[in-house]
Amino acid sequence: MIAAHCVGTFLPAAAGLLDDLEATTHWRFATDLAARHPAVRVRPESLYIDQGRLITGAGAVAGIDLCLYLIRREHGAATANQIARDLVTTPYRSGGQLQYLPAPVADDGDDERLSEVIAWARANLDRRISVDDLAARALMSRRSFARRFKAATGATPHAWLLAQRLNLAEELLETTDLPVENIAHHVGYGSAAVFREQFALRRGVPPRDYRRAFKQG
């Protein structure tokens, strides 16, 4: 397995290992990478890209994202989450690196309210949370909230909530003996069937198969 991030991506690209594959690097160097190695399909919007035995990542901190992703892929969400807590970082960042390109951002109280709303949502994933609920908590219109939320996280509120629910579901599958039906309710799904469908769609395997693969002894 070879993993490279930031300008490190230029090394496997120069060796021809990334020809005809997707890869990423720091957004500042994406144009240069594509110009030097036209056979590489450069994706500057991604924090990291998994091509099996070749994984590339964006800038310096995205190297941590890449490493946590690999730990999650190889050893499961519980292990990755514990390491992320030790590092005092989030185990999974929604969205890509386009959110970090220079752009004017208003300096007002909205950012603090947004942080509080995100923390509240993470602590209440068992609830049926709508975008309107989050916008109301942030004291914003739905449209303004959606725009500010995506600027801050790189994801829409709906996509972010889905990712958070499935991340929590992974940890519960690994570290508890709760039935899948109970886990579905713990992460905010009213229907276990819908939860199974979404989990399999996003993770590639049904919840029970995921549990067998990563259940801690």
Side-chain angles (χ1 to χ4, degrees):
M1 186 187 301
I2 296 176
H5 68 96
C6 198
V7 294
T9 300
F10 283 72
L11 183 58
L17 299 177
L18 295 175
D19 287 359
D20 300 319
L21 297 177
E22 293 188 347
T24 191
T25 185
H26 191 291
W27 58 267
R28 287 187 186 276
F29 308 112
T31 301
D32 190 19
L33 180 66
R36 292 191 189 195
H37 306 287
V40 180
R41 301 200 296 274
V42 180
R43 299 290 182 262
E45 70 276 8
S46 301
L47 285 173
Y48 50 80
I49 293 179
D50 182 354
Q51 297 283 254
R53 295 181 63 83
L54 285 162
I55 305 96
T56 55
V61 176
I64 296 175
D65 294 297
L66 185 153
C67 290
L68 287 171
Y69 166 75
L70 285 176
I71 293 168
R72 191 182 199 93
R73 190 186 81 173
E74 300 296 320
H75 301 288
T79 300
N81 292 350
Q82 181 58 56
I83 292 173
R85 283 192 288 270
D86 291 342
L87 293 174
V88 196
T89 188
T90 179
Y92 174 80
R93 273 198 293 169
S94 301
Q97 61 173 324
L98 290 187
Q99 61 188 293
Y100 301 108
L101 270 62
V105 177
D107 184 14
D108 53 33
D110 286 353
D111 289 341
E112 184 177 351
R113 288 198 299 272
L114 192 58
S115 296
E116 291 172 355
V117 168
I118 287 173
W120 178 86
R122 281 201 178 106
N124 291 275
L125 292 174
D126 57 320
R127 301 191 184 192
R128 302 293 296 275
I129 303 171
S130 70
V131 178
D132 287 333
D133 294 333
L134 297 177
R137 281 187 166 271
L139 304 178
M140 301 179 195
S141 69
R142 179 189 175 101
R143 183 175 179 180
S144 294
F145 174 77
R147 176 173 52 80
R148 295 299 293 262
F149 190 95
K150 188 167 186 179
T153 68
T156 66
H158 177 77
W160 183 88
L161 278 170
L162 177 59
Q164 297 300 313
R165 293 187 196 285
L166 294 182
N167 290 346
L168 177 58
E170 286 179 337
E171 186 161 4
L172 292 173
L173 286 167
E174 294 174 29
T175 60
T176 75
D177 293 316
L178 287 172
V180 171
E181 291 75 13
N182 287 22
I183 290 176
H185 291 295
H186 270 288
V187 299
Y189 283 88
S191 164
V194 173
F195 166 67
R196 289 189 182 93
E197 178 184 350
Q198 286 295 315
F199 192 95
L201 179 65
R202 308 283 173 169
R203 297 301 189 257
V205 293
R208 292 187 192 279
D209 290 352
Y210 181 91
R211 170 172 269 167
R212 279 195 292 269
F214 288 112
K215 185 73 168 71
Q216 294 185 343

